[in-house]
Amino acid sequence: MGGGGPQTGLDGAGTAALPPSAGAGRPPHVTGSGGGGGAGPAQERRAGSGRRAARGPRPQGLRGTAEADGRCAGRPADMMSTKAFTLVSAVERELLVGDKEQGHIECVECCGKNLYVGTSDCIVYHFLLEERAQPAGTATFSATKQLHRHLGFRKPVSELRAASALNRLLVLCDNSITLVNMMSLEPVPSGARIKGAVALALNENPVSGDPFCVEVCIISVKRRTIQVFLVYEDRVQIVREVSTPEQPLAVAVDGHFLCLALTTQYIILNYNTGVAQDLFPYCSDEKRPIVKRIGRQEFLLAGPGGLGMFATVAGISQRAPVHWSENVIGAAICFPYVIALDNEFITVHSMLDQQQKQTLPFKEGHILQDFEGRVIVATSKGVYILVPLPLEKQIQDLLASRRVEEALVLAKGARRNIPKEKFQVMYRRILQQAGFIQFAQLQFLEAKELFRSGQLDVRELISLYPFLLPTSSSFTRSHPPLHEYADLNQLTQGDQEKMAKCKRFLMSYLNEVRSTEVANGYKEDIDTALLKLYAEADHDSLLDLLVTENSCLLTDSAAWLEKHKKYFALGLLYHYNNQDAAAVQLWVNIVNGDIHDSTRSDLYEYVVDFLTYSLDQELVWKYADWVLQKSEEVGVQVFTRRPLDEQQNSFNPDSIITCLKKYPKALVKYLEHLVIDRRLQKEEYHTHLALLYLDEVLQQRPGANSKGAEATETQAKLRHLLQKSDLYRVHFLIDRVRGADLPMESAILHGKLEEHEEALRILVHELQDFSAAEDYCLWRSEGRDPPYRQRLFHTLLAMYLQPGPSVPELAVAATDLLNHHAAEFDAAHVLQLLPGTWSVQLLRPFLTGAVRDSVHARRTTQVALGLAKSENLIYKYDKMKLKGSSVRLSDKKLCQMCQNPFREPVFVRYPNGGLVHTHCAAGRHTNPSPPGPGART
């Protein structure tokens, strides 16, 4: 067969358009008798035919289409069986020989609709095959006889090969290959033929490059010789003769490579280089060799031990062998199957998993060949066709038998035989079906992977679970259906444990796919189903689903949550759908006990938190009284914890204070928030808070025995506010405090009015709290100048030392004050105030500190004086240096500022030597540029 041009091969159809399984062309026949075995002398083949004919008329074991997928008696049924082919009749004996008994079928050839049959009485028949498709996916054939021709020999027709590109039929008879017209069966006028041929094979992968010839390889009658010819329309040309190590019995060819069955072994021989590669041994005396090209650079061989071996031209096997009969006499390929013929059966083996898939009883068969995917088998009296069931039907049959792995292997293998787009659609559906089979068997991991790989519309799975799909969903199940189950109840047969496992699987699967591309377009269905599953199972993930982005349908989901009493979750659903009023009302009903839902024990705090961050002012005001009535301290957080921008823009503090007047504790908390946290500089807030503190202190005084700690805390807050704030109305508070027996507060207020003597009097004489008096001095002098601070401490000391009855405590306080704060006093003035009776030892810390400070001040002053003198000396030195240098001035000297000459002997000289007019110097503050060379005179 020529390469590179149109209609270049003997592919049986006359075109280069071949099915994918044919590789580079139609797989070559198995050389030998009837295409099934080794090539022997014509007499042997004829004798074999005679022996087969002697067994009786048409084979009794052939049950044709009725029992094509049956098993023979005594052979166990294969658990991996598949109905891959049906056997139908193509040519009956009556069409061949009529009433004659002499002629027997020796060989067949099929080229498109043209079927050729060679007989033992040297006749070639031409039939036209018509194929009729059947509803079940199979087909029937009818043959119409066109003509027949006797070739003029007394030997049987050994082999027939069609070269459609040349419109020639190659006929091997009596060791001679004759070229005849495919339509008329007339020999070519030139009489071209190849003599001395025992068997022939066509090169399906030719190397000649000539589109108007075919390459033919023959086993020559010369011993151990292979010859290669180029065959044209009316002539033949020998191009190579190759010697072999042993006598060849069968041959197949691909490119430059010959696959040969020799007497004791199979080899690969490159006829261009002469390099041979041994494959494996076999015994030709025990079995008939089979050599068949199955694709580019690959062959199928009958190996030892009943193995069908695959071999490449490199001498390696890329596929596992298939196990067939020890007595196999022919083999054919119909992807993905290897078909083998023995004396009683046709067996079908998968090339994908090497398992035997089908066995068809077929007695007295001796020819098995495939032509562009059409498999023909023949006895000596009839021709039959193995019609493959569509791969999709085979796969569906496997799936129906729950044989998922086999179905997937077969589906993957079908990729090369089906257009890409069609295959992808088919394969996805098969994966989905397989997934449902695994799902029904509770093989969830396997099912999940199959669903994912098959890009399952997840609603197909959800629809198995009653009531999970939303009522508004427009989904309808795939047709034809992907499974046989109405719903989960039917699938589990009511087994509650199985049903629970299925629901857990769906929860897991939906959770995984909801954020992937699988969910595109179906998010509402997925999330709604997931919510229903979570609610029914009381699953913790229900809340996670509702507080994150989701597509749950409100109507269906709300009814389902209410049915399962998931009211808190229902509130989250309302909130997600912008129905906050409904959500809060639902939660309020739960807190009030109107409905029961124990999801959250802190639901009241949750409602407060929800209102705190709600942007709906009307909603916040609506439930403000409710949260405050439940707890003033917690409820007020609705206002105090709001985001700062909202507090400034949306909620007016005055309105909030008005609302909180009925809730004093909440009001105090809110005013603390305004004054302490937000530090609002508004007098009325500070005064209001101070008054509330004061009122609470006054109310607590009668019950001090029971509420002393609380009163102390409130008083501390009041005192802290009075000390730190400068915004409250001091006089107003003094009037409220007067007569209330609150001396400390009074002292602080007098201090705010700069009435220090009165404040210190209260602290010293009324409270006798000398430590508080010292703290007062420190507090009021904070941030003030030292003289102010000194006056405060002197005032306190004078109060301790004022004339009157001697009080020992005051003397001790004065001593402590001096000793602890020596730096705050003028020691000379203090010594004048101190009583003469006080000992030096008593005031030792004060005196030591005073002396140290005095010495330190004197020395610091001396250092400063020395530095000033040194700086003055430096200035004097610089002045003397300047006076020691002369300056010559003339009318040619120019001012460095205005560049005009000097008109009078008055000038200003800068340290850098520049001379300027006095009026220029007065108007400038920068030194002029230094004079250039030669500028001085």
Side-chain angles (χ1 to χ4, degrees):
M1 178 173 64
Q7 301 186 4
T8 60
L10 279 93
D11 52 26
T15 70
L18 303 174
S21 63
R26 172 182 57 77
H29 67 290
V30 180
T31 60
S33 175
Q43 292 86 349
E44 277 191 42
R45 290 195 296 276
R46 187 164 60 251
S49 299
R51 285 194 296 272
R52 286 190 290 271
R55 294 176 186 168
R58 193 165 167 226
Q60 299 299 314
L62 179 61
R63 290 188 278 276
T65 58
E67 296 182 38
D69 61 339
R71 303 289 190 276
C72 68
R75 177 169 293 199
D78 188 354
M79 295 302 290
M80 306 294 284
S81 63
T82 302
K83 186 174 181 180
F85 296 88
T86 56
L87 188 61
V88 300
S89 175
V91 180
E92 297 292 344
R93 179 179 181 281
E94 289 75 13
L95 288 174
L96 292 169
V97 296
D99 296 331
K100 298 187 297 181
E101 293 291 337
Q102 292 85 358
H104 303 292
I105 298 173
E106 288 288 336
C107 56
V108 295
E109 171 69 312
C110 187
C111 178
K113 292 185 177 182
N114 299 296
L115 176 65
Y116 300 92
V117 177
T119 66
S120 58
D121 50 2
C122 203
I123 297 177
V124 177
Y125 290 87
H126 178 203
F127 298 94
L128 198 62
L129 280 179
E130 293 292 338
E131 182 177 354
R132 297 184 182 87
Q134 299 295 310
T138 60
T140 60
F141 291 86
S142 62
T144 305
K145 183 177 177 181
Q146 301 300 300
L147 72 159
H148 67 278
R149 186 170 301 279
H150 193 283
L151 298 182
F153 299 98
R154 293 184 179 180
K155 301 290 182 69
V157 179
S158 301
E159 295 189 42
L160 296 172
R161 290 294 177 265
S164 58
L166 307 178
N167 194 31
R168 294 292 179 262
L169 186 66
L170 282 66
V171 182
L172 174 59
C173 181
D174 195 17
N175 294 338
S176 180
I177 300 174
T178 304
L179 304 183
V180 301
N181 186 287
M182 286 182 64
M183 297 297 108
S184 66
L185 301 183
E186 290 285 349
V188 296
S190 66
R193 65 178 58 193
I194 300 173
K195 297 181 180 180
V198 177
L200 79 150
L202 300 186
N203 193 345
E204 307 285 347
N205 181 24
V207 295
S208 67
D210 188 343
F212 302 106
C213 72
V214 295
E215 295 181 18
V216 180
C217 178
I218 70 167
I219 299 176
S220 176
V221 293
K222 297 180 183 180
R223 289 191 57 78
R224 297 191 299 178
T225 302
I226 297 290
Q227 294 178 332
V228 180
F229 287 85
L230 293 181
V231 176
Y232 298 87
E233 286 187 358
D234 55 359
R235 63 188 177 89
V236 297
Q237 176 186 339
I238 187 168
V239 295
R240 190 66 58 96
E241 184 171 286
V242 184
S243 297
T244 58
E246 299 175 2
Q247 176 62 32
L249 302 179
V251 63
V253 60
D254 182 275
H256 289 295
F257 295 95
L258 303 175
C259 186
L260 298 171
L262 305 181
T263 308
T264 62
Q265 65 177 341
Y266 291 102
I267 68 168
I268 297 289
L269 176 63
N270 186 324
Y271 71 75
N272 187 46
T273 63
V275 176
Q277 169 74 48
D278 293 343
L279 297 179
F280 52 86
Y282 82 101
C283 181
S284 61
D285 293 335
E286 296 178 1
K287 64 185 301 181
R288 174 182 293 172
I290 294 176
V291 179
K292 180 175 185 60
R293 178 185 181 274
I294 64 170
R296 185 176 291 274
Q297 298 188 350
E298 188 174 14
F299 303 92
L300 174 64
L301 312 171
L307 293 178
M309 305 288 291
F310 298 94
T312 67
V313 296
I316 61 175
S317 179
Q318 295 176 330
R319 308 174 194 266
V322 296
H323 293 262
W324 56 28
S325 169
E326 288 277 3
N327 303 316
V328 65
I329 57 177
I333 296 292
C334 183
F335 191 86
Y337 297 111
V338 176
I339 304 163
L341 173 68
D342 61 22
N343 292 328
E344 296 186 356
F345 300 98
I346 299 171
T347 55
V348 179
H349 309 261
S350 172
M351 297 173 67
L352 305 174
D353 61 10
Q354 293 74 49
Q355 299 295 324
Q356 182 173 324
K357 300 298 183 182
Q358 188 177 10
T359 303
L360 297 95
F362 193 79
K363 295 183 178 180
E364 299 184 0
H366 71 106
I367 297 174
L368 176 61
Q369 285 182 261
D370 57 89
F371 306 94
E372 61 186 35
R374 178 177 292 167
V375 181
I376 293 180
V377 63
T379 65
S380 60
K381 299 172 183 178
V383 179
Y384 305 88
I385 296 178
L386 276 173
V387 180
L389 272 70
L391 283 176
E392 192 167 1
K393 185 176 188 312
Q394 296 181 42
I395 294 167
Q396 293 303 322
D397 289 344
L398 289 171
L399 291 174
S401 302
R402 304 291 190 269
R403 291 154 63 180
V404 172
E405 292 300 325
E406 287 183 78
L408 294 177
V409 169
L410 184 57
K412 290 177 184 177
R415 184 192 305 267
R416 58 185 286 186
N417 284 35
I418 301 175
K420 181 178 179 181
E421 293 75 12
K422 182 179 178 182
F423 171 79
Q424 289 177 342
V425 173
M426 180 195 80
Y427 190 59
R428 280 198 297 267
R429 177 178 172 81
I430 292 168
L431 288 171
Q432 294 168 10
Q433 289 177 278
F436 278 108
I437 291 171
Q438 298 285 35
F439 174 74
Q441 296 173 349
L442 306 187
Q443 303 295 322
F444 296 127
L445 289 177
E446 294 83 352
K448 179 171 68 174
E449 290 306 314
L450 290 167
F451 288 150
R452 281 184 170 179
S453 302
Q455 301 175 21
L456 175 72
D457 180 342
V458 71
R459 296 174 298 176
E460 287 279 0
L461 183 59
I462 298 173
S463 68
L464 272 175
Y465 296 71
F467 309 115
L468 286 194
L469 277 176
T471 54
S472 60
S473 176
S474 60
F475 170 74
T476 55
R477 287 186 181 178
S478 174
H479 184 78
L482 296 173
H483 53 81
E484 59 187 11
Y485 305 105
D487 56 26
L488 196 62
N489 292 315
Q490 180 189 352
L491 187 147
T492 60
Q493 297 181 347
D495 188 320
Q496 294 300 314
E497 184 178 352
K498 289 183 179 179
M499 193 174 295
K501 289 180 179 178
C502 291
K503 290 181 178 179
R504 285 196 295 270
F505 164 71
L506 184 61
M507 275 191 279
S508 171
Y509 183 67
L510 293 181
N511 187 53
E512 289 181 23
V513 304
R514 64 185 296 262
S515 58
T516 65
E517 292 183 1
V518 175
N520 285 347
Y522 317 135
K523 289 187 177 181
E524 291 181 349
D525 296 338
I526 292 174
D527 285 0
T528 303
L530 197 54
L531 176 142
K532 292 179 178 180
L533 287 168
Y534 285 156
E536 185 179 35
D538 196 20
H539 200 283
D540 294 340
S541 298
L542 173 63
L543 303 183
D544 295 332
L545 174 67
L546 290 170
V547 298
T548 55
E549 183 179 353
N550 66 81
S551 301
C552 299
L553 287 174
L554 178 61
T555 305
D556 281 68
S557 301
W560 193 272
L561 292 173
E562 192 167 356
K563 171 185 175 183
H564 290 86
K565 301 186 184 306
K566 299 295 179 183
Y567 298 111
F568 175 70
L570 178 57
L572 294 177
L573 178 68
Y574 284 140
H575 168 58
Y576 189 82
N577 287 273
N578 300 315
Q579 297 185 18
D580 288 355
V584 174
Q585 185 59 56
L586 197 62
W587 294 332
V588 167
N589 291 341
I590 297 174
V591 175
N592 291 339
D594 300 332
I595 54 178
H596 178 70
D597 184 348
S598 59
T599 302
R600 291 195 67 136
S601 57
D602 61 340
L603 186 55
Y604 167 70
E605 289 81 358
Y606 181 87
V607 173
V608 171
D609 192 61
F610 182 87
L611 292 172
T612 299
Y613 293 96
S614 174
L615 301 177
D616 187 345
Q617 294 187 50
E618 184 179 347
L619 183 67
V620 175
W621 286 117
K622 178 180 179 180
Y623 290 97
D625 283 323
W626 180 82
V627 297
L628 289 165
Q629 289 168 7
K630 288 289 181 182
S631 169
E632 291 187 35
E633 290 87 345
V634 177
V636 75
Q637 294 176 8
V638 169
F639 303 113
T640 61
R641 290 175 53 202
R642 300 198 73 77
L644 187 58
D645 57 343
E646 278 194 65
Q647 295 188 47
Q648 293 173 341
N649 302 323
S650 303
F651 285 86
N652 187 336
D654 295 333
S655 301
I656 297 174
I657 291 172
T658 302
C659 171
L660 296 179
K661 285 182 178 179
K662 297 181 291 183
Y663 310 101
K665 293 181 180 179
L667 181 58
V668 169
K669 291 284 185 184
Y670 184 67
L671 287 171
E672 287 176 345
H673 169 69
L674 295 179
V675 171
I676 299 172
D677 298 334
R678 292 182 58 186
R679 299 181 181 180
L680 293 184
Q681 303 298 303
K682 196 169 183 179
E683 175 269 326
E684 60 184 283
Y685 299 154
H686 289 247
T687 303
H688 197 169
L689 180 60
L691 285 173
L692 290 176
Y693 283 155
L694 181 59
D695 290 343
E696 187 173 350
V697 169
L698 294 175
Q699 289 175 6
Q700 291 169 350
R701 293 181 72 79
N705 293 335
S706 59
K707 299 183 180 180
E710 185 178 355
T712 301
E713 181 182 356
T714 305
Q715 269 190 306
K717 288 181 179 181
L718 174 61
R719 292 169 184 175
H720 183 270
L721 176 65
L722 295 178
Q723 282 185 334
K724 296 299 180 183
S725 175
D726 294 322
L727 296 175
Y728 57 85
R729 292 157 57 189
V730 181
H731 291 92
F732 177 74
L733 288 175
I734 282 182
D735 292 340
R736 292 292 301 272
V737 169
R738 187 176 290 116
D741 193 19
L742 294 173
M744 181 63 75
E745 288 75 8
S746 295
I748 294 172
L749 291 170
H750 282 294
K752 285 288 183 177
L753 294 174
E754 298 291 326
E755 298 174 354
H756 303 307
E757 291 187 6
E758 178 64 17
L760 290 173
R761 184 195 65 76
I762 295 172
L763 295 173
V764 172
H765 296 295
E766 291 188 23
L767 289 177
Q768 295 186 355
D769 190 341
F770 308 126
S771 175
E774 289 184 24
D775 291 340
Y776 175 87
C777 293
L778 294 173
W779 163 55
R780 290 310 299 159
S781 62
E782 185 177 358
R784 309 296 289 269
D785 56 7
Y788 184 92
R789 188 183 187 92
Q790 194 176 76
R791 284 197 301 272
L792 270 179
F793 276 94
H794 275 275
T795 302
L796 178 59
L797 180 63
M799 192 165 292
Y800 287 154
L801 298 176
Q802 65 185 357
S806 176
V807 180
E809 290 82 359
L810 293 178
V812 172
T815 304
D816 290 340
L817 181 66
L818 289 170
N819 289 336
H820 293 156
H821 301 281
E824 310 297 343
F825 291 94
D826 180 351
H829 181 68
V830 170
L831 291 175
Q832 296 176 1
L833 297 176
L834 294 178
T837 58
W838 285 17
S839 67
V840 173
Q841 185 66 28
L842 182 66
L843 297 174
R844 179 180 177 182
F846 167 71
L847 295 174
T848 302
V851 170
R852 183 180 295 113
D853 289 342
S854 177
V855 171
H856 176 71
R858 182 173 66 83
R859 289 176 178 174
T860 301
T861 304
Q862 289 176 342
V863 169
L865 179 62
L867 291 173
K869 289 181 177 180
S870 175
E871 185 177 10
N872 185 49
L873 189 60
I874 292 171
Y875 288 149
K876 285 181 177 181
Y877 172 73
D878 290 340
K879 183 177 180 181
M880 292 300 295
K881 280 175 48 177
L882 293 173
K883 287 182 177 180
S885 60
S886 62
V887 176
R888 186 178 296 274
L889 189 67
S890 68
D891 55 0
K892 294 181 180 180
K893 192 76 170 179
L894 301 180
C895 173
Q896 297 296 311
M897 290 286 187
C898 66
Q899 299 300 314
N900 293 318
F902 290 91
R903 300 300 182 187
E904 55 184 346
V906 178
F907 62 91
V908 174
R909 182 181 184 277
Y910 282 98
N912 60 7
L915 302 180
V916 297
H917 293 112
T918 54
H919 59 272
C920 290
R924 299 280 181 156
H925 298 287
T926 58
N927 290 345
S929 301
R936 300 183 60 157
T937 59

